[in-house]
Amino acid sequence: MVTLDVKTLTVPVGILRILAVVFTCVTFSLVASVGHIGGSFWAWCMFSWCFCFSVTLIILVLEFTSLSSKLPISWDDFTTAFAMLATLMVLTASLLYSIFFTCITCGEKIAACVFSFLTFFIYAVEVGLTRAKPGEISGFLSTVPGLLKVLEAFVACIIFICVDLLQYKFFPGLQWCVAVYSFCFIISLLVIILTIGRLLSRFPAPFSKVLIVCNVLAVLLYITVAVIWPFYIFKLYPKPSYCPMLCGWNLAVVITFMTYFNLIAYIIDTVYSFKLVFFTTPA
């Protein structure tokens, strides 16, 4: 039986989600009114805004009708993970649209960028509100290691998009790097799926200990990539005298930066995981 819960729309998180729905709707409406622009970056921006709008609206409806409590998933983990993902997606879309498609005299495009950055701020605040506080009992994805898992998976997706445009198959070392990106991405994605699907209790080994092993392994693997990737990729794509936005050298630089960024994320993830397992005193 459906029970309407108006309180879900009046609490701070509910208000933020309503604003996110409105702002994302305004953003993609402004962009669509300008007209379709070809290219994968434009498609990514539109997908990000439409996806975040749709999922946030579904979350509002499910919570307002109390159907969220009847779903066979960890709802808090799902909403927190989505807020983190939406923060990253909207931030990326905001930056890409500002860099590639906005000009000084483009009023509608500038307005779209403003609303997009406001939406990013709203989702970031939601992450802060839903994140687990010290000593608070919550789902894994509400903790810092859980949010980092979403971040790691998202950064890996950005790496895959850029890698696909490069001829990395020329060197076995670059193939190793892509294999490491893929392996660590799959591990992070599995952790997210198992958590949202409430399957951690069925895990045949202590999940926290397995997570630490996976994090340490990911750090070691990413260290090898941090050395091997720049060494080979800049031999394959040396800096040219003229380099457009999507030239091979620029893509190589982006992937290198994302590699070091994810390495730092995995190190922080490992530190937090050690702290939660070995240095947290049970209440």
Side-chain angles (χ1 to χ4, degrees), residues 61 116 140 212 215 254 266:
V61 172
S116 186
F140 171 74
I212 289 177
N215 286 337
V254 170
Y266 276 110

Side-chain angles (χ1 to χ4, degrees), residues 18-246:
I18 293 173
L19 289 174
V21 167
V22 174
F23 285 2
T24 49
C25 182
V26 172
T27 301
F28 68 69
S29 297
L30 286 170
V31 173
S33 68
V34 176
H36 174 73
I37 301 174
S40 57
F41 284 173
W42 188 90
W44 167 260
C45 294
M46 282 297 286
F47 169 77
S48 298
W49 295 319
C50 294
F51 173 77
C52 294
F53 166 82
S54 302
V55 177
T56 306
L57 184 60
I58 291 172
I59 289 174
L60 283 171
V61 172
L62 291 176
E63 290 196 341
F64 179 64
T65 57
S66 302
L67 292 175
S68 58
S69 60
K70 298 177 175 59
L71 296 177
I73 62 173
S74 176
W75 183 253
D76 290 338
D77 280 314
F78 168 73
T79 53
T80 303
F82 168 73
M84 183 65 177
L85 178 62
T87 301
L88 298 170
M89 290 181 70
V90 173
L91 174 61
T92 306
S94 303
L95 293 173
L96 289 176
Y97 197 77
S98 301
I99 295 171
F100 289 102
F101 306 108
T102 306
C103 61
I104 298 176
T105 58
C106 305
E108 290 178 325
K109 294 181 179 180
I110 293 174
C113 290
V114 171
F115 276 101
S116 186
F117 278 110
L118 287 174
T119 306
F120 155 70
F121 177 74
I122 288 171
Y123 280 122
V125 173
E126 181 183 344
V127 171
L129 291 177
T130 56
R131 184 179 69 84
K133 308 301 186 294
E136 191 175 75
I137 299 176
S138 62
F140 171 74
L141 293 181
S142 298
T143 63
V144 172
L147 294 174
L148 285 171
K149 280 285 168 281
V150 180
L151 175 62
E152 292 154 5
F154 179 80
V155 172
C157 289
I158 300 297
I159 291 174
F160 292 143
I161 293 172
C162 296
V163 163
D164 189 53
L165 301 174
L166 300 178
Q167 300 297 323
Y168 63 88
K169 296 180 181 179
F170 285 102
F171 295 100
L174 296 180
Q175 295 178 27
W176 163 260
C177 295
V178 174
V180 170
Y181 295 140
S182 302
F183 173 78
C184 295
F185 169 75
I186 292 171
I187 295 299
S188 297
L189 189 62
L190 281 175
V191 171
I192 294 171
I193 293 173
L194 290 173
T195 303
I196 293 177
R198 293 178 175 174
L199 299 174
L200 295 182
S201 59
R202 302 180 183 180
F203 204 72
F207 175 73
S208 57
K209 304 293 177 62
V210 173
L211 191 61
I212 289 177
V213 173
C214 291
N215 286 337
V216 172
L217 179 61
V219 169
L220 296 176
L221 290 174
Y222 258 87
I223 289 175
T224 66
V225 173
V227 176
I228 295 173
W229 176 265
F231 179 78
Y232 283 104
I233 199 64
F234 291 116
K235 283 186 176 180
L236 185 60
Y237 292 98
K239 186 176 182 180
S241 57
Y242 171 71
C243 188
M245 194 65 70
L246 291 180

